[in-house]
Amino acid sequence: TVSAYSLGSIGRDELEASDKVIMAQSMFRKVSRMRLPFPLTFQVTNPKATKQPARPKVGVNPSAGLGVIPDGKRPARPAKTKPSDAEEGDAKRKSPPLQYCGVLEFSGPEDKVFMPRWMMRNLRVKEGQQIKLRSVPSGKIPKGTLCRLQPHTTAFIDLAGSMDLRDLLEHAFRNYSVLSTGETIVVNVVGEDFKINVVETQPGPAISLYGNLDLEVDFAPPLDAGEGEAPAARGPTVSGASGNNNNNNNNNNNNNNN
């Protein structure tokens, strides 16, 4: 486990529109010993958020009793009930979405990881709170074929409409290694940050953006759009090389310095 801090706390706000983190130099030595392939991808979890209290056994109605055993017969089965919608909703809220990150550089202090604020919000962690990092084997996360995005504001749609949307997305996705269903990412357009929900990813709940892409992008109506104001729209197909491989260069630099 390591302590999570925002990139803004060290004056690196320009990295907010990405999923890249800054790790300690010792992490590079560990990665080298493990011979992990580059570019690196880690799954990030919040131990407190993923630990759920024991739930009562679903389906038993305490008021049904265990029944009586007449003439050696088995007791009557207790009546079964389904969890309420509220209970299901509470269970879902306890678990943050799958969260992954790439590595920008290994230049941070010991036992600390610096990450974008949006990632900390997704993980529900505060400055200095403990998180867990686990390396993801190369090829385990499939390359994406489709993602469905939902901007928080119509301002993003208006601004994107005045630009080449395909170029905009290709540029934005170069700063990301993985997209996962349920997370909220940040995309920077001409100096302004926009929050975007990842509503759906195919072929799995998480998709890799490294390497050559052929990714179809759809847009759901923005969160601030009134009913019927902004219908869902099909976006462009994002192709070409994506994913930021800067950690290759930084790793080599660190290796030469050590």
Side-chain angles (χ1 to χ4, degrees):
T1 59
V2 293
S3 299
Y5 292 88
S6 65
L7 287 163
S9 68
I10 55 172
R12 301 297 299 271
D13 289 299
E14 77 278 6
L15 301 175
E16 181 68 18
S18 75
D19 66 357
K20 302 299 183 288
V21 303
I22 295 177
M23 294 185 174
Q25 292 182 6
S26 61
M27 287 293 292
F28 176 72
R29 292 191 287 272
K30 291 179 182 179
V31 165
S32 299
R33 286 197 300 268
M34 295 173 67
R35 297 183 179 179
L36 297 178
F38 293 98
L40 297 169
T41 302
F42 288 86
Q43 183 176 2
V44 194
T45 56
N46 175 359
K48 289 187 177 180
T50 52
K51 285 183 180 178
Q52 299 186 17
R55 297 179 63 185
K57 292 182 179 180
V58 175
V60 177
N61 184 347
S63 64
L66 295 178
V68 183
I69 309 179
D71 301 326
K73 294 182 179 180
R74 291 182 179 180
R77 286 186 176 182
K80 291 188 176 182
T81 59
K82 293 182 179 181
S84 67
D85 291 341
E87 289 173 334
E88 290 290 353
D90 289 342
K92 289 179 181 178
R93 283 193 293 271
K94 286 184 174 70
S95 298
L98 289 173
Q99 190 63 67
Y100 297 89
C101 70
V103 184
L104 180 72
E105 58 191 39
F106 296 91
S107 60
E110 286 300 302
D111 301 321
K112 293 182 180 180
V113 169
F114 297 90
M115 58 178 55
R117 288 190 179 93
W118 65 262
M119 191 177 292
M120 296 181 69
R121 286 193 294 267
N122 285 347
L123 292 166
R124 301 168 196 166
V125 299
K126 298 179 180 179
E127 298 278 345
Q129 188 172 329
Q130 295 286 298
I131 60 170
K132 286 187 176 181
L133 293 165
R134 186 180 66 180
S135 63
V136 180
S138 177
K140 183 175 182 179
I141 302 175
K143 286 190 179 295
T145 57
L146 179 142
C147 71
R148 186 173 175 81
L149 306 176
Q150 183 180 38
H152 282 209
T153 63
T154 53
F156 173 83
I157 298 296
D158 294 340
L159 185 57
S162 65
M163 306 173 65
D164 187 317
L165 185 55
R166 177 172 173 171
D167 287 346
L168 187 157
L169 291 175
E170 287 182 354
H171 177 75
F173 286 168
R174 287 193 187 103
N175 298 320
Y176 285 85
S177 53
V178 175
L179 292 180
S180 59
T181 300
E183 70 176 349
T184 300
I185 64 173
V186 169
V187 170
N188 185 278
V189 183
V190 285
E192 186 173 357
D193 287 343
F194 293 92
K195 294 180 182 178
I196 297 180
N197 294 340
V198 181
V199 179
E200 179 186 1
T201 55
Q202 293 183 11
I207 57 174
S208 173
L209 299 183
Y210 278 132
N212 292 322
L213 282 182
D214 188 15
L215 181 66
E216 183 180 335
V217 181
D218 286 347
F219 283 94
L223 288 179
D224 68 348
E227 187 174 350
E229 286 184 10
R234 172 162 293 185
T237 296
V238 179
S239 59
S242 188
N244 191 324
N245 294 331
N246 281 348
N247 52 358
N248 277 318
N249 297 328
N250 287 310
N251 295 337
N252 292 333
N253 291 338
N254 281 327
N255 195 26
N256 292 333
N257 292 333
N258 291 333

